[in-house]
Amino acid sequence: MNALRINTQERSGKTFDIKHPSIEVEVIQTKSKRGLSLQRFIHVNYRGNRIGRIDMNKVDLWNTHPYSARYYERNGDERGEHAGSFDTLYAAKTGVFKKWKENAKPEKQKYDPAMLPSGDNSDFYPTPSALAGKMMAMVDWKVVRSVLEPSAGKGDLLECMGSATYKRQRYSRNLEDIDCIEMDQNLRYILTGKGYRVVHDDFLTYHTQKRYDLIVMNPPFSDGDRHLEKALEIQQDGGQIVCLLNAETLRNPHTVRRKHLFDRLTKLGARIQFIKGAFLRAERRSDVEVAIVSVHIPMREFDSSIFERMKKATEQTVQADSKHELVGGNFIEQMITNYGVEVSATLEFMSEYNGLVPYILTGSQSYAHALLSIKIGDQSYDTIDNEGVNRYMRAVRGKYWDNLFHLPQLTSKFTSDLMKEYQSSIGKMEDYEFSEFNIRQIIGKLDGSLRTGIDKAIMDVFEKMTAAHSWWPETKNNIHYYSGWATNKAHKIGKKVIIPIHGSHSDSWQGEKLAEYTIYGVLGDIEKSLDYLDQGVTAESDMHVVLKTANAAGQTRNIAFKYFNATFFKKGTCHISFHDQRMVDLLNIYAARGRNWLPPNYGKARYEQMTPEEREVVDSFQGKEQYERIMENADYYLVAHNQQLLLGVGQM
């Protein structure tokens, strides 16, 4: 069988387009006993390599696309992988190219040794792939966005780096910011031909303000110490270095430079791995022992000279000033001081920026704007005017008012309703200076609202535990009636009560049995109300922690909170058992006095000094013996309805 091949290719102008794939149509004429036959093959080429082929299909009801395509993962792979079906030849070519770029594993290019280094090549040792792989394994790719290869050669390390980032795609961030440096002109041609960016020739004379996350290098063995020192200088503000050295550079630091380098590496906690025989089967062979040096320099923490200067000036002013006691004492004073320092430093920074703007404008004469802008909130400014300053002031005030409203001295006393009310007011405070005067004003308002709010909260707790659900069979035994002062509706609670908490059991896929948020929304308000009555006698206990601990243990019964044990049932009830009769008495007395169910002389006169009518109410409520015990601790049990709530308010 004789065959005749005819090849035609697409052309772009007078030369082949090396940036885009081309079509090659190959027609093979064969002669056999049956006569002549023609076969047509459509190849897709890119930069001199066949990267895929396109087949023509018979179009019918079952196949509506006239072209199907395959791409080759490797040169010489004539089988290929399916790239898709297409309506046009151009679409098929583009589809092959796209799939090939995403998945191809091109072979390393081979170069004529005569084209490698043009000058002295005694220090040119291309990095073997196995050794390059060990170097790549020492890199923390999660933080790498920019790379410098300062002794790039013909790109062996860079090609291995591309493979390493491909295998770690979940860490890769489209690693395209790669700079190369290479002394030899021929090697620079090779690098640019591969598409790498060559930014300089001699690394030791390279000066830049650019920051690199990674410097990976195989410098000349005879001068490796100087090259590593240069890399350390560039990375002094933070970054990674992975460097290949002649082992003798570190094993035998006989010069002052090498000793200094070794000391620096030790202080930086460098990892050093010595490897023998790494170049025995390399492209250029040697029995030299090498060392891989890996250094991870932490990012430098920058200090603000403006901030420090303002802080020092403020400290001197504060020492000369006398301050009155506020909520939280020194902590609030420190917040006011920090606010003043932060604002003063930022405003001076803005002034410095405005002064710099004329020198950093773009070169456009028709429309010039600053190369660097300041963003305040969601607004960017080339020059910060009054509107920008005021926008910043509102933001920084809001931050400090928000911090104030989250002080434990305040939030620990807030019920859920009060918390919602004052959280909604933070936005309004952005227009008020964060000053001692305004803090006193807001704390005074908070205290007034808290007094009213906590009184209502305590009464709500009492109502929830008694009359609110007395119609429900489960909770009808909560309420205990007694003969009140001029009323027959007086009632109280006992040590055990049942309240509804619907949705207390969780349906979480995480296996939690209790719905912590729902439970805290009910029991949290009860606990804060009892905190007010208890006046700090009972040891602290964090309800959030208790609930999480119970959930972790799968516990739903007899969970010990600060004032009571609680058991939760799926039907939506919570059984509460108080630890101490003292808390029951505090709640009953507060509610009874607030609703005038007790005689006016309750807590003021001894039992014997009361009228018969008054003694009758006391007997029905708690009895003589219990009343006398209350009288012995009247300051504790007879909680005032206008009691000061917030720390330091009395000094304002």
Side-chain angles (χ1 to χ4, degrees):
M1 179 181 68
N2 299 320
L4 173 66
R5 295 176 181 265
I6 303 173
N7 293 66
T8 62
Q9 289 190 335
E10 291 179 331
R11 289 185 178 270
S12 175
K14 295 182 179 180
T15 60
F16 288 107
D17 186 351
I18 63 170
K19 293 184 178 180
H20 302 284
S22 62
I23 293 293
E24 175 190 356
V25 179
E26 181 180 18
V27 179
I28 301 178
Q29 177 180 300
T30 60
K31 183 178 181 180
S32 64
K33 293 181 179 180
R34 296 182 179 180
L36 294 175
S37 63
L38 295 177
Q39 289 181 289
R40 184 168 63 175
F41 298 91
I42 304 175
H43 305 291
V44 181
N45 297 336
Y46 180 66
R47 291 187 174 179
N49 294 315
R50 283 187 179 174
I51 63 172
R53 75 169 189 267
I54 300 172
D55 298 324
M56 297 185 66
N57 303 323
K58 182 179 179 181
V59 178
D60 53 29
L61 291 175
W62 311 107
N63 187 7
T64 59
H65 301 289
Y67 299 100
S68 60
R70 305 185 76 82
Y71 69 93
Y72 305 145
E73 286 193 343
R74 294 180 176 83
N75 288 341
D77 176 15
E78 296 297 329
R79 184 176 62 86
E81 301 292 335
H82 184 62
S85 298
F86 305 92
D87 293 327
T88 66
L89 189 61
Y90 177 81
K93 179 184 72 170
T94 304
V96 168
F97 184 55
K98 180 179 178 182
K99 285 291 186 179
W100 178 82
K101 283 191 69 175
E102 292 175 353
N103 301 284
K105 301 169 184 175
E107 296 178 356
K108 289 185 179 179
Q109 287 183 261
K110 302 296 183 181
Y111 297 94
D112 183 353
M115 290 297 294
L116 298 180
S118 57
D120 177 22
N121 67 354
S122 59
D123 269 331
F124 178 66
Y125 286 87
T127 312
S129 59
L131 189 57
K134 292 180 183 292
M135 296 174 69
M136 297 304 117
M138 292 186 170
V139 176
D140 180 5
W141 294 106
K142 296 189 295 293
V143 295
V144 175
R145 294 178 177 84
S146 55
V147 180
L148 173 65
E149 216 288 39
S151 306
K154 57 186 177 65
D156 297 88
L157 267 180
L158 294 171
E159 289 174 356
C160 185
M161 182 169 61
S163 175
T165 54
Y166 174 79
K167 292 177 181 177
R168 299 169 174 82
Q169 281 186 355
R170 59 186 176 139
Y171 297 144
S172 177
R173 295 178 174 84
N174 297 323
L175 191 56
E176 296 177 352
D177 188 5
I178 301 174
D179 290 344
C180 301
I181 296 174
E182 175 50 51
M183 180 75 78
D184 186 86
Q185 182 177 356
N186 284 342
L187 295 177
R188 291 200 296 271
Y189 288 149
I190 292 173
L191 289 169
T192 54
K194 289 182 175 181
Y196 294 120
R197 184 170 61 220
V198 180
V199 297
H200 197 60
D201 56 352
D202 185 359
F203 179 48
L204 297 180
T205 64
Y206 182 54
H207 299 290
T208 182
Q209 297 297 326
K210 183 175 179 178
R211 304 293 174 86
Y212 294 102
D213 299 316
L214 170 67
I215 297 179
V216 58
M217 55 197 296
N218 175 8
F221 283 173
S222 62
D223 216 11
D225 50 357
R226 295 179 66 197
H227 282 248
L228 183 51
E229 278 189 335
K230 178 70 174 181
L232 290 170
E233 176 187 327
I234 291 178
Q235 299 295 71
Q236 61 183 333
D237 289 333
Q240 301 180 68
I241 301 171
V242 179
C243 176
L244 188 67
L245 291 178
N246 186 328
E248 282 297 300
T249 304
L250 301 177
R251 287 196 187 278
N252 184 25
H254 59 277
T255 65
V256 174
R257 173 178 282 115
R258 290 186 177 184
K259 289 177 181 177
H260 177 67
L261 175 63
F262 189 81
D263 289 342
R264 286 187 68 185
L265 293 175
T266 302
K267 291 178 181 178
L268 289 170
R271 292 187 297 159
I272 302 174
Q273 182 180 358
F274 292 97
I275 302 174
K276 293 182 178 180
F279 283 85
L280 289 177
R281 297 186 179 182
E283 184 175 337
R284 185 171 182 190
R285 300 183 180 185
S286 172
D287 60 355
V288 65
E289 183 184 8
V290 296
I292 302 177
V293 180
S294 173
V295 187
H296 195 159
I297 302 172
M299 294 301 295
R300 181 165 71 91
E301 295 183 1
F302 294 91
D303 297 323
S304 168
S305 59
I306 297 177
F307 188 87
E308 290 301 318
R309 188 167 66 253
M310 293 298 170
K311 182 179 178 182
K312 185 176 181 180
T314 303
E315 287 173 351
Q316 293 172 350
T317 303
V318 169
Q319 290 173 3
D321 249 350
S322 61
K323 292 276 185 182
H324 299 290
E325 186 70 12
L326 293 170
V327 175
N330 292 333
F331 183 77
I332 295 296
E333 292 178 17
Q334 189 62 50
M335 284 184 69
I336 296 173
T337 301
N338 290 348
Y339 167 77
V341 171
E342 181 174 341
V343 169
S344 298
T346 304
L347 293 180
E348 182 167 336
F349 166 75
M350 290 178 176
S351 297
E352 289 287 334
Y353 169 78
N354 283 343
L356 184 63
V357 165
Y359 304 98
I360 58 173
L361 295 175
T362 61
S364 171
Q365 295 181 354
S366 59
Y367 175 70
H369 61 88
L371 294 171
L372 178 70
S373 63
I374 300 295
K375 190 172 185 178
I376 305 173
D378 57 355
Q379 182 69 39
S380 294
Y381 295 86
D382 277 355
T383 301
I384 305 172
D385 54 12
N386 287 346
E387 193 274 337
V389 171
N390 292 338
R391 178 185 289 267
Y392 161 73
M393 290 301 301
R394 284 191 293 272
V396 72
R397 287 170 183 156
K399 180 180 80 170
Y400 277 88
W401 283 116
D402 182 62
N403 290 340
L404 176 70
F405 283 137
H406 282 87
L407 280 178
Q409 293 95 320
L410 301 180
T411 57
S412 63
K413 294 179 171 65
F414 278 11
T415 62
S416 56
D417 289 340
L418 279 173
M419 183 66 76
K420 290 176 184 176
E421 177 184 348
Y422 282 93
Q423 284 296 318
S424 65
S425 68
I426 292 177
K428 302 175 184 177
M429 298 306 299
E430 291 179 350
D431 291 316
Y432 293 86
E433 195 66 30
F434 190 76
S435 63
E436 179 178 327
F437 171 80
N438 285 330
I439 291 175
R440 289 178 180 276
Q441 295 297 308
I442 193 66
I443 294 301
K445 292 179 181 178
L446 283 172
D447 189 65
S449 296
L450 187 55
R451 293 181 191 185
T452 303
I454 204 68
D455 182 73
K456 179 179 181 299
I458 294 173
M459 291 302 189
D460 287 346
V461 167
F462 180 79
E463 188 72 9
K464 182 187 290 287
M465 291 185 171
T466 55
H469 305 287
S470 59
W471 53 270
W472 197 21
E474 288 278 352
T475 60
K476 64 180 181 180
N477 294 326
N478 287 355
I479 194 166
H480 301 273
Y481 291 98
Y482 62 91
S483 298
W485 185 254
T487 180
N488 59 0
K489 295 183 179 180
H491 53 270
K492 60 181 181 178
I493 64 168
K495 284 190 70 174
K496 294 183 178 181
V497 295
I498 299 173
I499 61 173
I501 302 183
H502 300 292
S504 60
H505 279 66
S506 174
D507 56 359
S508 170
W509 59 271
Q510 295 176 322
E512 297 175 346
K513 291 192 173 184
L514 298 176
E516 296 173 17
Y517 181 82
T518 301
I519 293 172
Y520 186 83
V522 177
L523 297 190
D525 282 353
I526 293 176
E527 188 171 281
K528 288 178 181 179
S529 299
L530 297 177
D531 281 339
Y532 174 77
L533 298 174
D534 182 51
Q535 304 174 65
V537 172
T538 304
E540 287 299 323
S541 174
D542 190 324
M543 183 172 285
H544 288 294
V545 174
V546 173
L547 283 169
K548 288 186 179 299
T549 303
N551 248 340
Q555 181 184 2
T556 60
R557 294 174 177 267
N558 294 319
I559 300 174
F561 294 101
K562 185 174 181 179
Y563 299 111
F564 48 78
N565 283 1
T567 296
F568 302 94
F569 292 95
K570 289 185 177 181
K571 58 186 176 181
T573 59
C574 173
H575 292 230
I576 292 175
S577 177
F578 285 93
H579 299 319
D580 194 334
Q581 180 65 37
R582 171 177 55 89
M583 295 308 302
V584 178
D585 292 340
L586 282 166
L587 183 56
N588 284 330
I589 292 170
Y590 188 93
R593 293 178 70 208
R595 296 184 176 183
N596 297 317
W597 290 346
L598 295 177
N601 277 337
Y602 184 92
K604 299 176 183 178
R606 307 298 299 190
Y607 182 82
E608 292 79 6
Q609 297 171 336
M610 287 183 167
T611 65
E613 293 82 5
E614 291 173 334
R615 286 198 295 267
E616 181 181 351
V617 173
V618 169
D619 289 340
S620 178
F621 178 59
Q622 61 192 159
K624 176 183 177 182
E625 183 179 344
Q626 181 72 3
Y627 177 71
E628 291 295 341
R629 186 173 65 84
I630 298 298
M631 287 296 295
E632 291 172 3
N633 298 278
D635 291 341
Y636 176 69
Y637 281 101
L638 305 179
V639 180
H641 283 252
N642 60 351
Q643 176 178 303
Q644 175 184 313
L645 299 178
L646 298 179
L647 178 64
V649 171
Q651 285 78 34
M652 291 188 183

